């Protein structure tokens, strides 16, 4: 019958023991290892328990969580019941390590010492290459050598496992980073004449993607559609839901939906994809006319955008006619308000992570929308614009908060400069995805804001 694989613990026994050591000796001759428990305990300086197994089947039963190290005789026969049904005896130089490979399979978290004849150094070295922590020659075996080998094998196994876990963690982090970068939007603005810049900073530690999401596309009729949203919470589930909503928004927008019809359909997507009925999402959508002078605004529980016309201070767009956040009311409606943008303008859309930071460490006062407007106007007075303005705004919010913001932050900036459009022939620079932490603008042109 096949030897059963015992349930393995999540950490090596050496990490949980309190000085005592347990050695499992696997050899078919119980008298082969003549070292006694008192001798080994005296050499190790601590109490040592020895268990003996005549074959691999018996060893599997004795392999409990308190075993620190396994001493395996490489000459142990592996045949019949130990090799599996119908396999028959195992022989030949190529299979001399069959017992070792079997032990490594059933005890992947234990330190293993290989015991071999003194004249078989090649086999001993091959055992270490396969996975044993060290090897011992039978003729040199005594309590002092065995004690030192056990300690060395246990510590080396712990180091190997720590390195393996670190490597796996790094690989997972790299894969997650590639995945999250691939989920960030690539704005489609070719031919619009508008400039674009964005900043994205997730609230999760070491994350690249949070519950905030945004996107910008230009439809064949020349209308530029921009969106920014926020799923409540900022964990991996919220990040995944934000990506789903962004992709759904892009597909629906390119299919010709906008305003209330689009938001109603997005709410259906949210209701089907969310983990619980308590999850909701805020959203702000803007559709800018092909001439760039007017826009339609829809708010679903989201802060109103900030508009700055050339030579005028920035101000918030109207938000009185906004509807509820997506996922709160089953038959909600979201009115579309017409907004006059003018000839030269900049429009800043943001999530509440930018305005909910505290003003001063240890205080409960929040920056708020009024504080954000004053901050932006102050930076405008200093002559900052475009990319520099967004970078300064996010940096100042962090400084006022007294450290990193706990919520996700997404900010995007769209701008129109007729003079630049005439100089550049009316084409916007080719769009590309923004960096998850510090996004770069699309080209050297900057909006007036």
């Amino acid at each position: 019958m096949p030897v059963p694989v015992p349930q393995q613990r999540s950490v090596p026994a050496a990490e949980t023991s309190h000085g005592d050591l347990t050695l499992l000796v696997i050899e078919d001759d119980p008298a082969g290892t003549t070292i006694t428990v008192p001798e080994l305990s005296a050499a190790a300086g601590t109490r040592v328990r020895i268990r003996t197994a005549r074959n691999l089947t018996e060893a599997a039963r004795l392999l409990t969580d308190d075993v620190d190290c396994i001493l395996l005789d490489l000459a142990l026969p592996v045949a019949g019941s130990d090799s599996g049904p119908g396999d028959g005896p195992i022989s030949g130089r190529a299979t001399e390590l069959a017992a070792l490979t079997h032990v490594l399979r059933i005890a992947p978290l234990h330190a293993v010492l290989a015991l071999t004849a003194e004249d078989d150094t090649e086999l001993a070295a091959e055992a270490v290459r396969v996975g044993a922590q060290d090897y011992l020659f039978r003729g040199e075996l005594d309590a002092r050598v065995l004690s030192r080998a056990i300690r060395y094998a246990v510590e080396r196994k712990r180091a190997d496992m720590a390195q393996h876990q670190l490597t796996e963690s790094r690989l997972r982090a790299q894969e997650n980073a590639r995945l999250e970068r691939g989920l960030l939007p690539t704005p489609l603005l070719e031919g619009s004449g508008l400039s674009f810049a964005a900043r994205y900073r997730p609230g999760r530690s070491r994350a690249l993607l949070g519950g905030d999401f945004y996107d910008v596309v230009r439809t064949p009729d020349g209308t530029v559609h921009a969106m920014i949203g926020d799923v409540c919470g900022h964990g991996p589930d919220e990040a995944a839901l934000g990506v789903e909503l962004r992709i759904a928004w892009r597909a629906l927008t390119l299919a010709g939906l906008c305003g209330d019809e689009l938001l109603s359909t997005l709410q259906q997507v949210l209701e089907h994809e969310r983990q619980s009925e308590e999850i909701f999402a805020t959203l702000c959508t803007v559709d800018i006319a092909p001439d760039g002078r007017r826009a339609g605004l829809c708010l679903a529980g989201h802060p109103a955008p900030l508009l700055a016309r050339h030579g005028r201070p920035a101000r918030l767009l109207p938000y009185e006619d906004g509807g509820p956040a997506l996922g709160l009311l089953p038959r909600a409606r979201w009115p579309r308000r017409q907004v006059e943008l003018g000839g030269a303008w900049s429009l800043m859309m943001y999530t509440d992570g930018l305005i909910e930071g505290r003003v001063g460490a240890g205080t409960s006062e929040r920056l708020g929308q009024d504080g954000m407007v004053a901050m932006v106007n102050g930076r405008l007075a200093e002559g900052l614009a475009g990319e520099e303005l967004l970078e300064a705004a996010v940096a100042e919010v962090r400084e006022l908060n007294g450290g990193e913001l706990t919520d996700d932050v997404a900010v995007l900036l769209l701008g129109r400069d007729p003079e630049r459009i005439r100089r550049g022939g009316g084409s916007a620079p080719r769009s590309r995805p923004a960096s998850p932490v510090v996004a770069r603008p699309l080209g050297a042109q900057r909006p007036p804001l």
Side-chain angles (χ1 to χ4, degrees):
M1 297 294 294
V3 177
V5 179
Q7 184 69 30
Q8 292 293 306
R9 56 183 179 270
S10 58
V11 294
E15 296 184 18
T16 58
S17 61
H18 301 282
D20 296 348
L21 290 174
T22 299
L23 175 67
L24 175 60
V25 180
I26 308 175
E27 60 176 350
D28 59 346
D29 180 11
T33 303
T34 58
I35 299 173
T36 64
V37 170
E39 291 176 337
L40 190 55
S41 298
T46 187
R47 189 166 62 122
V48 179
R49 295 180 291 268
I50 297 180
R51 300 175 186 173
T52 57
R54 295 174 178 267
N55 52 53
L56 297 178
T57 303
E58 187 177 350
R61 291 196 298 267
L62 297 177
L63 189 61
T64 55
D65 286 350
D66 59 339
V67 172
D68 296 281
C69 186
I70 299 171
L71 179 62
L72 172 67
D73 184 1
L74 295 183
L76 182 74
V78 181
S81 62
D82 287 331
S83 58
D87 287 345
I90 300 178
S91 60
R93 180 66 174 178
T95 58
E96 287 181 328
L97 296 175
L100 176 61
T101 56
H102 183 95
V103 169
L104 293 175
R105 181 177 65 83
I106 67 173
L109 304 181
H110 290 79
V112 178
L113 289 171
L115 182 63
T116 184
E118 189 171 358
D119 59 349
D120 208 345
T121 56
E122 291 186 5
L123 180 62
E126 184 69 10
V128 173
R129 190 193 67 80
V130 169
Q133 274 61 58
D134 202 352
Y135 61 85
L136 295 171
F137 294 129
R138 183 177 296 277
E140 300 177 355
L141 192 62
D142 59 30
R144 181 181 59 83
V145 172
L146 180 56
S147 170
R148 184 175 59 191
I150 293 173
R151 291 290 187 185
Y152 172 78
V154 169
E155 292 303 321
R156 181 175 177 181
K157 183 64 177 181
R158 291 175 59 183
D160 290 345
M161 290 186 61
Q163 182 61 40
H164 179 69
Q165 292 171 356
L166 178 61
T167 301
E168 284 191 338
S169 177
R170 288 175 176 171
L171 289 175
R172 283 196 300 269
Q174 292 171 3
E175 289 296 327
N176 290 339
R178 283 193 288 269
L179 175 62
E180 292 185 339
R181 287 192 189 99
L183 294 175
L184 287 170
T186 301
L188 304 178
L189 286 172
E190 191 71 24
S192 68
L194 301 182
S195 57
F196 172 87
R199 291 292 181 275
Y200 192 95
R201 189 180 297 274
R204 290 185 293 142
S205 175
R206 296 184 298 276
L208 294 176
L209 206 62
D212 292 2
F213 53 99
Y214 68 89
D215 205 350
V216 182
V217 298
R218 180 175 182 263
T219 49
D221 64 355
T223 303
V224 172
H225 303 262
M227 171 272 292
I228 194 166
D230 182 6
V231 178
C232 64
H234 48 270
D237 291 335
E238 290 77 9
L241 182 56
V243 171
E244 292 181 82
L245 292 175
R246 181 189 69 77
I247 295 174
W249 176 87
R250 174 174 285 202
L252 294 170
T253 300
L254 294 176
L257 276 67
C258 68
D260 182 77
E261 186 179 11
L262 185 148
L263 292 175
S264 297
T265 309
L266 277 181
Q267 175 159 277
Q268 295 180 38
V269 174
L270 172 68
E271 290 170 347
H272 287 293
E273 298 296 332
R274 63 186 176 184
Q275 298 293 322
S276 72
E277 294 184 356
E278 298 178 354
I279 300 296
F280 63 90
T282 66
L283 201 69
C284 170
T285 67
V286 174
D287 54 279
I288 303 169
D291 63 5
R293 302 184 67 89
R294 298 173 306 280
L297 171 66
C298 287
L299 295 175
H302 200 87
L306 192 67
L307 174 67
R309 294 189 178 97
H310 187 65
R312 300 181 186 179
R315 63 177 180 84
L316 292 173
L317 291 181
Y319 53 86
E320 293 83 3
D321 295 336
L326 303 181
L328 293 182
L329 300 177
R331 288 177 293 276
R333 289 294 177 262
W334 295 271
R336 178 179 177 274
R337 173 187 283 265
Q338 189 74 16
V339 177
E340 294 295 328
L341 300 177
W345 50 265
S346 290
L347 186 68
M348 189 172 83
M349 304 169 68
Y350 53 92
T351 57
D352 58 6
L354 187 68
I355 60 178
E356 291 188 350
R358 301 186 184 277
V359 182
T363 67
S364 59
E365 182 182 358
R366 306 284 183 174
L367 177 63
Q369 287 180 289
D370 293 338
M372 181 196 65
V373 173
M375 178 187 66
V376 169
N377 282 322
R379 296 299 184 179
L380 287 173
E382 296 174 1
L384 297 182
E387 177 190 4
E388 294 177 350
L389 176 65
L390 289 189
E391 185 68 27
V394 174
E396 184 172 349
V397 170
R398 291 177 56 208
E399 183 179 351
L400 290 173
N401 189 62
E404 285 292 345
L405 301 167
T406 57
D407 199 4
D408 306 323
V409 175
V411 190
L412 64 89
L413 190 65
L414 287 169
R416 181 176 186 269
D417 184 354
E419 189 65 29
R420 180 187 61 79
I421 294 175
R422 283 193 294 270
R423 292 195 307 267
S427 297
R430 182 174 297 275
S431 302
R432 66 188 180 198
S435 166
V437 177
V438 181
R440 300 300 180 191
L442 304 181
Q445 296 88 346
R446 294 176 181 171
L449 181 59

